[in-house]
């Protein structure tokens, strides 16, 4: 299980956003973060817990290892208000798990 | 740059079946894990299952075992997801996605296909 908190985060542009993802088992750094907007495909932001995917702005950063992970957006822009999911892979049986998501909304 | 193009929206009746395709361009997907994920209205992303087209090996989330069949056609670089006996609660957006080489995360996604189950 991946537990994301908070379920909803209300912030203003320019503020710092901190999103949490907790795994029920230790997964080293095998965690990814995605941004999902209505009508669009999910977009990979962070992989291996802290590596930014191609083209992702530097204001997005990831940290953590083991069971506790954080996605930080240093200074929110209007385009950042969306759903955010964390995701892990289980080795056996091979399967993938997504968290329930954090909705980042404009305050 | 690999792009995944999914088939169009479907309306299907309860108890029938529906098949969605995911065609890749810009490179071969045959050696990568390709998964299907869905998002029901108001819900989060849910992994359904996946395939490695080159090997034909599949695995499914327990919830979808026996009701979902994922297949691939290497000659057309296309992966399919067939859902049997759909019910209203299967109404959702369905996405395909390509895994990274490490098979840990997903770096390319299809645009999504809306499947509506309605009598």
């Amino acid at each position: 299980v991946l537990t994301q908190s908070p379920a909803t985060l209300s912030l203003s542009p320019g503020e710092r956003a901190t999103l949490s993802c907790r795994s029920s088992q230790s997964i080293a750094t095998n965690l990814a973060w995605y941004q999902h907007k209505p009508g669009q495909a999910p977009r990979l932001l962070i992989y291996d817990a802290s590596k930014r995917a191609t083209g992702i702005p530097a204001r997005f950063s990831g940290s953590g290892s083991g069971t506790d992970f954080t996605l930080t957006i240093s200074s929110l822009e209007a385009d950042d208000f969306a759903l955010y999911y964390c995701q892990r892979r289980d080795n056996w049986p091979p399967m993938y798990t997504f968290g329930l998501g954090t909705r980042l909304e404009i305050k | 740059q690999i792009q995944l193009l999914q088939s169009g929206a479907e309306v299907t009746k309860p108890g029938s079946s529906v098949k969605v395709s995911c065609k890749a361009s810009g490179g071969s997907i045959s050696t990568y894990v390709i998964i299907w994920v869905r998002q029901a209205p108001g819900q989060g992303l849910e992994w359904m299952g996946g395939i490695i087209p080159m090997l034909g090996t599949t695995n499914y989330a327990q919830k979808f075992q026996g009701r979902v069949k994922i297949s691939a056609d290497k000659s057309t670089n296309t992966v399919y997801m067939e859902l049997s006996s759909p019910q209203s609660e299967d109404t959702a957006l369905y996405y395909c996605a390509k895994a990274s080489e490490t098979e840990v995360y997903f770096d390319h996604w299809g645009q999504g296909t809306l499947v509506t189950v309605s009598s």
Side-chain angles (χ1 to χ4, degrees):
Chain A
V1 175
L2 285 176
T3 303
Q4 290 190 241
S5 61
T8 302
L9 186 57
S10 299
L11 294 169
S12 301
E15 289 192 293
R16 181 185 189 90
T18 303
L19 288 67
S20 174
C21 177
R22 176 165 289 180
S23 174
S24 58
Q25 62 196 67
S26 181
I27 56 172
T29 57
N30 292 323
L31 189 98
W33 290 93
Y34 301 86
Q35 180 190 66
H36 194 196
K37 297 180 180 179
Q40 297 184 19
R43 175 192 183 195
L44 176 67
L45 297 175
I46 301 288
Y47 65 96
D48 293 349
S50 62
K51 299 175 182 176
R52 271 191 303 277
T54 303
I56 301 304
R59 63 181 183 274
F60 291 91
S61 64
S63 63
S65 65
T67 60
D68 290 297
F69 302 87
T70 301
L71 173 69
T72 301
I73 310 171
S74 59
S75 179
L76 285 166
E77 297 189 3
D79 191 50
D80 299 337
F81 292 93
L83 274 166
Y84 291 84
Y85 295 96
C86 57
Q87 171 256 317
R88 76 174 193 214
R89 173 195 150 146
D90 296 326
N91 287 330
W92 190 259
M95 60 179 289
Y96 298 93
T97 301
F98 289 87
L100 293 181
T102 291
R103 180 177 302 277
L104 180 56
E105 62 178 30
I106 298 178
K107 188 172 181 180
Chain B
Q1 176 79 328
I2 286 178
Q3 292 188 315
L4 302 177
L5 183 62
Q6 297 182 222
S7 50
E10 300 268 4
V11 179
T12 190
K13 294 187 185 304
S16 62
S17 70
V18 61
K19 193 171 186 177
V20 181
S21 68
C22 172
K23 181 174 176 58
S25 62
S28 173
I29 58 170
S30 65
T31 59
Y32 294 99
V33 171
I34 305 297
I35 66 164
W36 288 90
V37 171
R38 77 178 188 182
Q39 184 185 34
Q43 304 296 312
L45 299 176
E46 182 176 33
W47 174 72
M48 301 175 67
I51 188 169
I52 301 175
M54 175 69 77
L55 304 176
T57 52
T58 56
N59 69 318
Y60 301 96
Q62 191 170 12
K63 174 178 180 177
F64 297 103
Q65 285 274 4
R67 214 160 67 87
V68 169
K69 180 181 178 182
I70 297 174
S71 59
D73 183 338
K74 295 189 295 293
S75 68
T76 60
N77 219 15
T78 303
V79 171
Y80 301 90
M81 187 282 298
E82 184 171 18
L83 177 63
S84 303
S85 299
Q87 303 300 317
S88 58
E89 54 267 31
D90 293 312
T91 293
L93 265 170
Y94 290 77
Y95 294 97
C96 63
K98 169 195 157 294
S100 63
E101 291 192 358
T102 59
E103 300 182 0
V104 173
Y105 57 90
F106 301 95
D107 51 14
H108 294 83
W109 292 71
Q111 83 277 18
T113 296
L114 178 62
V115 174
T116 303
V117 183
S118 173
S119 55

